[in-house]
Amino acid sequence: MDLTRATAQDIGSALDRMGVTWSYDDDGDVRVRFRSTQPPATDAVFYEFDTAKADFSMRGQFLNARAVPQGNGTIMWEVPPDSGLEPTAVAQKVVIVYFMPRRGQMEVQIHASVAPLGQPQPMHIRVIPGDQQVRSIETEFQGFVGAHDGTQFWMSAAVTGTDVDEMQFSQLVRTTSQVGQAMFEGPFTGWMYSTDVS
């Protein structure tokens, strides 16, 4: 695939061949959503409103709990005792990746959201990783940089190449998922929205 001239349809076709579900966003770019009900993509999480701010700012942290199946078919989550935090909910770590064809390259944006399960009304928290975690991601995944606009945070990269084969593109997709999962490591802040992750 020639990423200097690829269209959203070209990118979608490559994802189809990989068996990855995708959709178009409102701008016509390609959106892929990674979420799972299985650990580690689902975990116990602590979160609370940041009372120092007069908005819907949140702060929290995933607790790296262990899922223990019970005899009655339910799951109990065991939180490490050294965490010092009580879980607020069990939540999915949702990663949304945008593949955006642009002149001469393809831009990638990775967003992370916490989607608590079993809520009476669907809600999610758009995640802003801590500064230390952002630096760690930028070091481990060369070419990805953190960016924000005051209401949301994302990791971004620009990718180019005139002869990108299926294996290279598949590796890029896997890397975007890994970057997204890394955004959940350590304490985070963010904003709560009372809608499901779309």
Side-chain angles (χ1 to χ4, degrees):
M1 179 168 36
D2 182 353
L3 293 182
T4 65
R5 298 186 307 171
T7 65
Q9 186 174 5
D10 295 333
I11 295 167
S13 295
L15 291 168
D16 284 339
R17 290 190 295 276
M18 292 169 50
V20 174
T21 302
W22 62 277
S23 62
Y24 291 112
D25 70 2
D26 293 340
D27 298 323
D29 296 319
V30 172
R31 175 178 52 206
V32 175
R33 182 172 66 178
F34 297 100
R35 85 189 301 171
S36 170
T37 58
Q38 301 301 311
T42 296
D43 191 6
V45 63
F46 164 80
Y47 60 84
E48 64 183 1
F49 284 104
D50 187 344
T51 55
K53 299 178 182 175
D55 56 16
F56 288 100
S57 297
M58 308 290 290
R59 60 178 171 219
Q61 183 172 341
F62 276 94
L63 303 177
N64 298 316
R66 187 168 70 93
V68 181
Q70 303 297 296
N72 62 2
T74 62
I75 294 177
M76 183 177 77
W77 293 84
E78 292 183 351
V79 176
D82 60 350
S83 74
L85 299 170
E86 289 290 324
T88 307
V90 173
Q92 289 181 329
K93 302 172 183 177
V94 181
V95 175
I96 299 178
V97 181
Y98 296 91
F99 297 97
M100 304 174 295
R102 297 296 184 261
R103 188 178 201 83
Q105 63 187 11
M106 179 182 69
E107 294 180 8
V108 178
Q109 278 190 8
I110 305 167
H111 299 251
S113 293
V114 176
L117 303 176
Q119 300 295 310
Q121 178 177 345
M123 56 86 74
H124 69 278
I125 302 166
R126 291 184 184 166
V127 167
I128 304 171
D131 291 344
Q132 182 176 344
Q133 185 58 23
V134 172
R135 285 191 298 273
S136 174
I137 294 169
E138 290 174 341
T139 300
E140 182 177 353
F141 299 95
Q142 294 291 313
F144 286 90
V145 295
H148 61 87
D149 65 3
T151 61
Q152 56 185 326
F153 175 91
W154 62 91
M155 299 298 299
S156 64
V159 184
T160 191
T162 57
D163 190 20
V164 176
D165 65 30
E166 299 278 319
M167 186 177 298
Q168 291 169 316
F169 188 71
S170 177
Q171 180 57 47
L172 172 64
V173 174
R174 280 194 298 275
T175 298
T176 62
S177 176
Q178 293 167 351
V179 170
Q181 288 298 319
M183 293 169 70
F184 296 106
E185 296 296 322
F188 61 80
T189 57
W191 289 273
M192 184 183 77
Y193 293 84
S194 61
T195 58
D196 195 8
V197 181
S198 58

